[in-house]
Amino acid sequence: MEGAKGTVCVTGGAGYLASWLIMRLLQRGYSVHGTFRSDQKFKEDISHVVSLPEASGKLKFFEADLGNPESFDAAINGCVGVFHVAHPIDLEDKIDIDKIIKISMDGTLGILKSCLKSKTVKRVIHTSSIAAALMINNRNDVQEIDESSWSEVDFMRSVKAPGISYCISKTITERAALEFGEKHGLDVVTLLPSSILGPFIGSNIPVGFPFALPVVFGTEELRNFLKESSLVHIDDIASTQIFLFESPNAKGRYICSAKDVLVHETAKYLSIKYPELQISTQSPSLMQDAKPLHLSSKKLLDLGFTFKYGLEEMIDGAIQCSKEKGLL
Ligand SMILES: NC(=O)c1ccc[n+]([C@@H]2O[C@H](COP(=O)([O-])OP(=O)(O)OC[C@H]3O[C@@H](n4cnc5c(N)ncnc54)[C@H](OP(=O)(O)O)[C@@H]3O)[C@@H](O)[C@H]2O)c1
């Protein structure tokens, strides 16, 4: 039986954000078509999503791969909306950057073409990243980033930083998605989350946690590199996606970030609340007196969204969930 609000498609349905989003969409009365990669090499266990209490009769999974753009047709057919969440994430920069860009671009444009073909999709919520706004040459002169800022591709290609292929592919793909929407009269809204933190329903540590909470989940390289992070709770991001889908006046890009914080501050909180994790607050890489860059969510707040979760709930959600699942 179809949910009262119609059927929507969520790409990359087994992932951290997508699985949480599917849970919230089902609870809100939508039926969901999730997509997952069929290749045995990538096949993610989707049992954590299909076993959600609200899933029975309302959730169907389809095999689809960004490397095969037309494979999304079946999942999108008959849907009123598409939440495009899947992205080839290679935060360790192991895969050739142009290969990542091609998969992301071909897959995203294929999904948008499937939306046009369906004739039923009213809006696409494309999940971009703050990485598509943040990587600018003159960043030291800037105190605040808003939606007018676009990461500079030539600059990014010239710097060495962890996860740079991710930043480049997110930037190029978001631009292409917005341009496709303009050109073909398809309503495409893009969402730029900062680092997402909080509990998770999958069985592995989410791939972005090393960037969100480097002092707990990051490599030494990352711990030395990252001085500040901007964070948002997983439930606030899923709510934002649904809010943007349902808001008649949503248009263009939206940054969604609840808290800008120095890594030193999170290290201090963690060392007091979770002494067993033995977090050091003395590392020379932890700046104690700087002011973090502000990522402005004003456009989203002006549209009527309100954040529900603060920093402690994000950190506690992530740590406690990791412990409960025996991952920390
Ligand atoms: N986590 C964050 O802090 C953060 C912040 C800003 C933006 N975002 C964006 O949010 C989205 C979700 O990220 P996440 O943190 O939830 O990561 P995730 O758990 O790794 O989810 C990514 C999903 O994309 C799928 N995918 C990767 N390559 C694919 C391909 N070639 N074809 C089809 N599906 C493919 C993955 O499928 P497999 O399971 O088969 O690998 C996975 O389900 C991404 O677009 C990411 O850029 C995340």
Side-chain angles (χ1 to χ4, degrees), residues 79-191:
C79 288
V80 292
V82 171
F83 295 85
H84 178 28
V85 186
H87 187 80
I89 299 176
D90 172 31
L91 295 174
E92 291 169 0
D93 298 314
K94 284 186 180 152
I95 306 171
D96 176 60
I97 187 164
D98 292 314
K99 194 172 170 197
I100 294 265
I101 293 169
K102 183 168 169 32
I103 294 174
S104 170
M105 283 283 285
D106 289 354
T108 299
L109 294 179
I111 286 165
L112 298 179
K113 284 177 193 159
S114 301
C115 294
L116 287 180
K117 271 189 254 171
S118 78
K119 301 198 187 335
T120 51
V121 172
K122 295 188 174 62
R123 178 172 287 168
V124 178
I125 304 298
H126 171 85
T127 314
S128 182
S129 163
I130 197 62
L134 203 56
M135 300 296 287
I136 50 173
N137 203 353
N138 64 340
R139 188 162 142 185
N140 290 342
D141 306 331
V142 173
Q143 268 129 41
E144 180 177 286
I145 294 281
D146 65 18
E147 289 81 0
S148 64
S149 174
W150 278 96
S151 291
E152 295 161 16
V153 174
D154 289 345
F155 166 67
M156 289 189 281
R157 283 193 184 270
S158 72
V159 294
K160 265 212 151 309
I164 201 72
S165 68
Y166 173 78
C167 301
I168 297 175
S169 60
K170 291 304 282 187
T171 307
I172 293 179
T173 308
E174 187 197 342
R175 263 198 197 280
L178 286 168
E179 280 167 17
F180 183 99
E182 279 282 311
K183 188 168 169 198
H184 297 278
L186 182 67
D187 187 352
V188 177
V189 172
T190 63
L191 171 65

Side-chain angles (χ1 to χ4, degrees), residues 49-78:
V49 194
V50 291
S51 61
L52 287 166
E54 305 81 5
S56 179
K58 302 266 170 52
L59 173 64
K60 196 170 167 194
F61 264 96
F62 295 72
E63 293 179 0
D65 195 311
L66 295 169
N68 177 10
E70 292 187 359
S71 60
F72 289 86
D73 276 359
I76 290 173
N77 189 30

Side-chain angles (χ1 to χ4, degrees), residues 12-22 44 48-49 85 89 195-202 204-209 212 232-235 238 314 317-318 321:
Y16 174 41
L17 172 55
S19 54
W20 198 278
L21 172 63
I22 289 175
E44 172 108 355
H48 61 284
V49 194
V85 186
I89 299 176
S195 284
I196 304 170
L197 202 54
F200 47 96
I201 57 176
N204 299 313
I205 296 283
V207 69
F209 273 19
V232 61
H233 195 279
I234 179 73
D235 200 45
M314 298 179 213
C321 194

